[in-house]
Amino acid sequence: MTLETKQKKPDGYLMLFLALLILSVNLLLISGKMPAYYKGILGFAGINIILAVSLNLINGITGQFSLGHAGFMAVGAYVSALISIYLKWPLILALLLGAVVAALLGIIIGLPTLRLKGDYLAIATLGMGEIIRVVLLNLEITKGARGLTAIPRSTSIYLVELVAFITVIFTVNLMRSTHGRALLSIREDEIASEAMGINTTFYKVFAFATGAFFAGLAGGLFAHLMGYIAPKNFEFMRSIEILVMVVLGGLGSITGSIVATIILTILPEALRSFSQYRMVLYSGLLIIMMLFRPQGLMGTKELQVREVFRLFGFGGGKNV
Amino acid sequence: MLEIKNLHVYYGQIHALKGVSFVVRKGEIVTLIGGNGAGKTTTLKTISGLIPLKEGEILYQGESITGVKAHDLVSQGLVQVPEGRHVFPSMSVQENLDLGAYTRKDKKAVKEDLDKVFHLFPRLKERRQQLAGTLSGGEQQMLAMARALMSSPKLLLLDEPSMGLAPLLVREIFNIVTEINSTGVTILLVEQNANMALSIANRGYVIETGRVVLEGEAASLAANEAVKKAYLGG
């Protein structure tokens, strides 16, 4: 019987591979040969990566089933957009402030709701997301359903890439730290981790607030990329979309989230030629995926370039 | 070392513990025995701060720990092995043990303790890279105990370590409990398997419907007619 061993950490090759990928995409961008349509998709992919990785921190790594990510995104988007419109502060400050407000909200909402588990927590966070949307719909300053227009379109694709990169590096490093192990142990068995001296309440709220912070950043980037936001951008379906990316990639796998996000951002676009069957194909693919690979693309493992090499017959049993 | 005074606990309207009192002295193995729903696990959970108490006092090393959270007690040496094993299933045996030492900063002492633990549980050493979820029930119980030892406890609370194990394994687990005790760890053992528990304990308390109904030396309890009739199947 072969014994399953513990998962391997992402290797150096992966970093190199990613760097090359980003470099080649950017060369295309700089040369101006990339059509605006592709640029748009690229921007959304980057924002979705931030959202998926940060939700993975809550759902995948800490095991707390949250359905309110679009709510945090909305808070970050509106706060940063309002700052840009009315106070005309620099973009970075607006983005950071939006993210901080989202994180604070995460703490305020997390403290009472994280006592709940599983389905109950999912319902509570779903309700929270809807409350945020309804509040935005009815406030004077957010201009209700008409939404905010004339937000300076100051987000560049490079900034989205940079923030996505920071999000991924932060999450990977967090996962490998002592704090990361504490988060993982909560997912594994909350009673045992409490019995081992881990302050589970603190860590759950910490994961929730950190996830909300990055979702807020993503929201801010989104607002300044589109130039226009309305409550309908942050409906319940948005949270579901992000959740699907995380589940499809594999709960707890950062690289899985990234791969799934890229696929799920490009796929609906690529399927445009099927016109009305587009969403049927998309949903069908998800069902097939869950039937045959319920653990997601990557399971809890990380993508390893040397495994990819091995897959294509390059052998190479070298360990890094 | 541990002194429980007049513990009253409620689950909503239900009066679960009605004035439980007992003491555990340093170096002892003390066992709480009793049937289903007697209040044994509730007592343990109250000590480790998982359930709030209505009345009474819990003293650990002479200080009140009433209301102190479980995770804060670990660094003070009061460690619980929860009922039903609770290992981290998709982590390896080694990672489980590493998490046991979560609150400790002294790397060198942790390494020494790891050797000690592997000496006590050689089977875990063989399987240190295996995922904990793939271990047998007995091995998981061993791992849960080993993990608790990694936090260098002074007082170990064991909740039903024999639950769901084959008789031979139960014997083995209890031998290890005695061995752990001989290294200077005080043990409070909660068990339904009264026979086995009394055979290794110094003293015991019999709990019935939230009250201590009998107490004494383990040997005299084992010889007590009422106890024999109710718990020892004779």
Side-chain angles (χ1 to χ4, degrees):
Chain A
M1 192 180 114
T2 51
L3 303 174
E4 275 193 79
T5 53
K6 65 180 225 176
Q7 68 178 70
K8 297 191 183 67
K9 304 260 155 64
D11 54 19
Y13 287 135
L14 181 66
M15 293 299 150
L16 191 71
F17 175 75
L18 284 177
L20 282 176
L21 189 76
I22 293 168
L23 190 72
S24 50
V25 169
N26 282 340
L27 280 177
L28 257 170
L29 271 173
I30 295 167
S31 68
K33 283 194 178 123
M34 189 178 279
Y37 174 56
Y38 290 141
K39 260 190 183 165
I41 296 175
L42 199 63
F44 288 130
I47 289 172
N48 284 339
I49 286 175
I50 304 171
L51 289 167
V53 170
S54 59
L55 185 66
N56 203 344
L57 180 66
I58 302 173
N59 278 26
I61 297 170
T62 320
Q64 305 302 306
F65 201 95
S66 167
L67 275 180
H69 226 49
F72 294 127
M73 185 190 175
V75 170
Y78 269 90
V79 170
S80 64
L82 288 170
I83 290 173
S84 291
I85 293 171
Y86 293 108
L87 302 175
K88 302 204 166 38
W89 286 5
L91 176 67
I92 297 297
L93 273 180
L95 288 179
L96 280 178
L97 212 70
V100 167
V101 173
L104 286 177
L105 197 71
I107 295 172
I108 294 168
I109 292 167
L111 275 173
T113 54
L114 287 170
R115 292 166 193 275
L116 304 169
K117 289 185 173 60
D119 319 358
Y120 306 106
L121 178 64
I123 303 280
T125 51
L126 187 157
M128 170 217 81
E130 283 301 285
I131 289 171
I132 292 174
R133 191 180 63 84
V134 171
V135 167
L136 292 175
L137 204 54
N138 289 291
L139 278 182
E140 201 62 41
I141 192 166
T142 58
K143 302 217 168 67
R146 274 175 298 154
L148 289 176
T149 49
I151 306 165
R153 298 184 62 176
S154 42
T155 301
S156 68
I157 295 208
Y158 306 109
L159 184 63
V160 174
E161 275 179 24
L162 181 71
V163 177
F165 185 70
I166 293 171
T167 311
V168 171
I169 295 296
F170 174 86
T171 313
V172 169
N173 278 325
L174 177 67
M175 249 180 108
R176 292 196 207 168
S177 70
T178 332
H179 303 298
R181 281 195 296 148
L183 296 175
L184 281 168
S185 76
I186 293 173
R187 174 186 78 188
E188 292 282 294
D189 194 314
E190 201 174 325
I191 293 174
S193 64
E194 179 79 19
M196 288 299 94
I198 292 163
N199 187 341
T200 52
T201 313
F202 168 80
Y203 275 111
K204 284 197 287 183
V205 174
F206 167 77
F208 206 61
T210 312
F213 178 87
F214 284 110
L217 266 186
L221 288 169
F222 176 78
H224 292 83
L225 189 71
M226 299 285 289
Y228 164 75
I229 49 170
K232 68 171 179 348
N233 295 130
F234 310 105
E235 277 172 348
F236 166 59
M237 273 312 292
R238 191 82 190 87
S239 295
I240 298 287
E241 270 172 40
I242 307 165
L243 181 72
V244 167
M245 289 167 186
V246 174
V247 174
L248 191 78
L251 284 164
S253 168
I254 305 294
T255 42
S257 286
I258 299 171
V259 172
T261 303
I262 294 172
I263 292 174
L264 290 183
T265 310
I266 295 173
L267 194 66
E269 301 299 330
L271 290 175
R272 272 194 193 282
S273 50
F274 295 94
S275 59
Q276 69 263 46
Y277 300 111
R278 187 162 72 109
M279 289 325 279
V280 177
L281 278 172
Y282 178 86
S283 321
L285 205 82
L286 290 180
I287 294 172
I288 290 168
M289 181 73 195
M290 284 301 105
L291 279 176
F292 291 101
R293 210 174 153 75
Q295 70 272 46
L297 285 171
M298 305 296 303
T300 54
K301 296 195 178 61
E302 296 296 345
L303 183 67
Q304 311 238 22
V305 173
R306 74 175 121 84
E307 300 292 332
V308 179
F309 278 156
R310 207 170 288 159
L311 212 65
F312 289 106
F314 284 94
K318 198 177 135 206
N319 276 314
V320 180
Chain B
M1 185 148 205
L2 184 73
E3 199 174 348
I4 311 293
K5 288 180 186 165
N6 192 30
L7 209 58
H8 285 267
V9 173
Y10 288 81
Y11 287 114
Q13 292 294 311
I14 301 160
H15 199 171
L17 295 187
K18 303 161 186 163
V20 170
S21 304
F22 62 90
V23 286
V24 181
R25 293 187 207 102
K26 198 163 189 290
E28 278 188 320
I29 300 182
V30 172
T31 180
L32 303 180
I33 56 176
N36 270 335
K40 304 178 306 256
T41 297
T42 306
T43 308
L44 274 200
K45 281 187 174 164
T46 312
I47 296 171
S48 56
L50 292 171
I51 303 176
L53 52 86
K54 192 96 174 184
E55 216 188 301
E57 210 179 9
I58 305 166
L59 298 174
Y60 171 64
Q61 295 185 317
E63 278 174 49
S64 171
I65 53 162
T66 310
V68 178
K69 288 276 200 284
H71 60 81
D72 288 325
L73 292 170
V74 174
S75 48
Q76 296 180 41
L78 201 165
V79 183
Q80 179 169 182
V81 181
E83 183 181 359
R85 308 193 258 278
H86 290 286
V87 295
F88 301 121
S90 55
M91 292 188 189
S92 68
V93 168
Q94 180 69 50
E95 286 172 313
N96 266 273
L97 295 175
D98 288 344
L99 270 165
Y102 179 79
T103 54
R104 298 172 66 189
K105 303 274 174 277
D106 44 343
K107 291 246 166 63
K108 215 179 131 205
V110 170
K111 179 82 195 47
E112 280 168 22
D113 277 358
L114 186 67
D115 291 337
K116 271 188 214 160
V117 162
F118 280 145
H119 181 73
L120 264 177
F121 302 94
R123 229 189 289 193
L124 294 181
K125 190 173 187 177
E126 290 164 25
R127 293 167 189 260
R128 61 199 288 184
Q129 296 305 329
Q130 193 174 330
L131 293 184
T134 65
L135 297 174
S136 73
E139 287 161 351
Q140 286 189 18
Q141 181 60 49
M142 290 180 191
L143 178 57
M145 285 162 60
R147 191 181 55 193
L149 287 179
M150 287 303 292
S151 60
S152 132
K154 294 191 186 93
L155 173 60
L156 197 59
L157 311 180
L158 290 172
D159 198 353
E160 303 270 1
S162 77
M163 197 174 79
L165 298 184
L168 254 176
L169 266 172
V170 174
R171 179 82 270 177
E172 197 177 334
I173 295 276
F174 276 70
N175 284 341
I176 294 170
V177 172
T178 318
E179 226 172 304
I180 292 170
N181 177 247
S182 69
T183 63
V185 180
T186 311
I187 287 171
L188 176 60
L189 171 68
V190 162
E191 254 305 335
Q192 284 206 29
N193 190 336
N195 231 336
M196 214 41 133
L198 288 174
S199 75
I200 64 162
N202 303 99
R203 292 184 305 112
Y205 293 84
V206 181
I207 297 188
E208 242 169 51
T209 57
R211 285 194 185 85
V212 173
V213 291
L214 254 179
E215 59 176 278
E217 298 293 318
S220 70
L221 279 182
N224 184 299
E225 283 306 318
V227 174
K228 264 191 190 166
K229 203 157 186 185
Y231 303 109
L232 304 179

